[in-house]
């Protein structure tokens, strides 16, 4: 935005300087292009320094409802901008000419101030309109990007897992899983309601995914949901049998006895969903 406005302002200043010099030559005066470029560039430099005032004023106007309130903000911005522009322009010229060994006389009068204010009013309207259009275009682009952007993917629920087998997807609540057993190139999920799912995969991969749900290995080929266990029957051989809260049982190997040791010991009901091989 700043670069665009600066480029336009510089182009207008250069054209004005050459036009003024040509007009002076036609009137019989000196064709002093250097001095006229200095007048234009000193004015433009101060305008560019004051540009943030106009940007803030336009943005405030865009956020303010009501035409009267917007007009009041614009009027205040114009008066402040013109005051600072005239003052800054005069002092820049005085300083530059003083350093060059010359002097600058603004010839302060009401007519001179009104002359400069009139030019400032035109500049403020043109620059303000440009800023307004650029801000509108920026907002439209943001809205278009926001509307076309795909929604952010939602993280999977920690209370759900998906069993994947090729193109098939089965959603399962980990709490419903009683045990998981390997079956060749497949793994079998046994749920509390009696449903079973045979999914291609490895028991090691299932163990890694389900460990956070207290579904742990109790046998070389089996995982068990310890949250669904209501009893453990420890055998003299070191093996054990788990009794689930739905009445099913599952045999475990003595190698994994430490996994269920903290669950306590009790006799499980007769009958087993699967046995330890």
């Amino acid at each position: 935005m700043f670069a665009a406005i600066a480029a336009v302002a510089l182009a207008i200043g250069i054209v004005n300087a050459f036009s003024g010099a040509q007009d002076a030559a036609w009137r019989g005066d000196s064709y002093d292009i250097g001095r006229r470029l200095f007048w234009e560039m000193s004015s433009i430099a101060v305008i560019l320094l004051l540009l943030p005032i106009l940007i803030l004023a336009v943005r405030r106007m865009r956020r303010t409802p009501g035409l009267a309130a917007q007009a009041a903000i614009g009027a205040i911005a114009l008066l402040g901008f013109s005051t600072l522009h005239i003052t800054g322009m005069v002092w820049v010229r005085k300083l530059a000419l003083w350093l060059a060994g010359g002097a600058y006389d603004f010839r302060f009068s009401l007519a001179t101030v009104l002359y400069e204010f009139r030019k400032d009013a035109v500049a403020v309207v043109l620059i303000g309109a440009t800023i307004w259009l650029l801000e509108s275009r920026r907002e439209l682009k943001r809205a278009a990007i926001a509307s076309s952007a795909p929604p952010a993917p939602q993280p999977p629920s920690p209370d759900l897992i998906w069993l994947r087998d090729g193109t098939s997807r089965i959603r399962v609540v980990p709490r419903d899983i009683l045990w998981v057993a390997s079956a060749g190139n497949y793994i079998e999920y046994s749920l509390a309601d009696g449903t079973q799912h045979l999914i291609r995969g490895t028991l090691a991969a299932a163990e890694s995914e389900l460990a956070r749900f207290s579904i742990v290995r109790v046998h070389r080929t089996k995982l068990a949901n310890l949250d669904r266990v209501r009893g453990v029957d420890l055998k003299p051989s070191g093996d054990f049998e788990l009794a689930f809260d739905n009445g099913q049982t599952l045999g475990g190997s003595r190698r994994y006895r430490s996994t269920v040791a903290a669950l306590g010991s009790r006799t499980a009901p007769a009958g087993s969903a699967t046995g330890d091989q």
Side-chain angles (χ1 to χ4, degrees):
M1 181 187 301
F2 183 88
I5 294 175
V8 173
L10 288 173
I12 293 174
I14 292 173
V15 170
N16 287 343
F18 278 95
S19 297
Q22 185 62 58
D23 290 342
W26 285 338
R27 294 194 303 268
D29 296 334
S30 171
Y31 187 88
D32 191 355
I33 186 63
R35 179 175 289 269
R36 293 185 179 277
L37 279 174
F38 172 67
W39 298 149
E40 294 292 338
M41 294 304 107
S42 60
S43 175
I44 290 173
V46 176
I47 288 176
L48 295 180
L49 289 175
L50 297 176
L51 192 58
I53 295 177
L54 298 182
I55 295 175
L56 292 175
V58 169
R59 289 176 177 174
R60 183 63 179 271
M61 290 172 66
R62 292 175 62 85
R63 295 193 301 264
T64 302
L67 184 59
Q70 292 178 348
I73 295 173
I76 294 172
L78 171 58
L79 291 174
F81 177 89
S82 183
T83 300
L84 293 174
H85 173 237
I86 294 173
T87 303
M89 175 186 66
V90 169
W91 282 103
V92 166
R93 293 174 179 177
K94 283 181 174 293
L95 177 61
L97 290 177
W98 177 76
L99 292 174
Y104 174 73
D105 183 11
F106 179 62
R107 298 176 183 175
F108 181 83
S109 67
L110 179 60
T112 305
V113 171
L114 290 177
Y115 171 78
E116 294 293 340
F117 179 79
R118 185 173 65 249
K119 293 194 297 182
D120 286 344
V122 174
V124 166
V125 170
L126 293 177
I127 295 174
T130 302
I131 296 172
W132 189 290
L133 292 175
L134 291 174
E135 289 289 318
S136 298
R137 184 171 180 269
R138 181 179 299 176
E139 290 182 2
L140 288 175
K141 288 180 64 176
R142 289 175 179 171
I145 293 174
S147 62
S148 63
Q154 297 297 321
S157 170
D159 298 327
L160 295 174
I161 62 171
W162 286 89
L163 305 182
R164 297 174 175 86
D165 186 16
T167 58
S168 301
R169 299 289 187 273
I170 304 170
R171 189 172 69 174
V172 174
V173 178
R175 168 71 182 170
D176 293 341
I177 299 174
L178 289 185
W179 49 264
V180 183
S182 64
N185 293 329
Y186 293 84
I187 48 177
E188 182 181 7
Y189 289 78
S190 180
L191 307 185
D193 62 1
T195 304
Q196 293 184 333
H197 299 290
L198 197 62
I199 304 297
R200 181 179 292 273
T202 65
L203 193 66
E207 180 182 18
S208 176
E209 180 182 10
L210 299 175
R212 66 185 189 275
F213 302 112
S214 297
I215 302 176
V216 298
R217 193 180 292 261
V218 295
H219 186 275
R220 182 177 56 85
T221 62
K222 304 169 191 173
L223 308 176
N225 189 344
L226 300 186
D227 288 343
R228 301 297 299 259
V229 173
R230 67 176 178 85
V232 183
D233 183 14
L234 301 176
K235 307 293 185 179
S237 64
D239 295 340
F240 55 89
E241 192 172 62
L242 302 176
F244 295 104
D245 54 13
N246 71 339
Q248 294 188 35
T249 61
L250 179 72
S253 170
R254 61 180 176 271
R255 178 181 176 184
Y256 301 96
R257 183 166 177 163
S258 61
T259 303
V260 299
L263 294 176
S265 172
R266 61 174 292 177
T267 301
S272 174
T274 184
D276 187 6
Q277 301 297 325

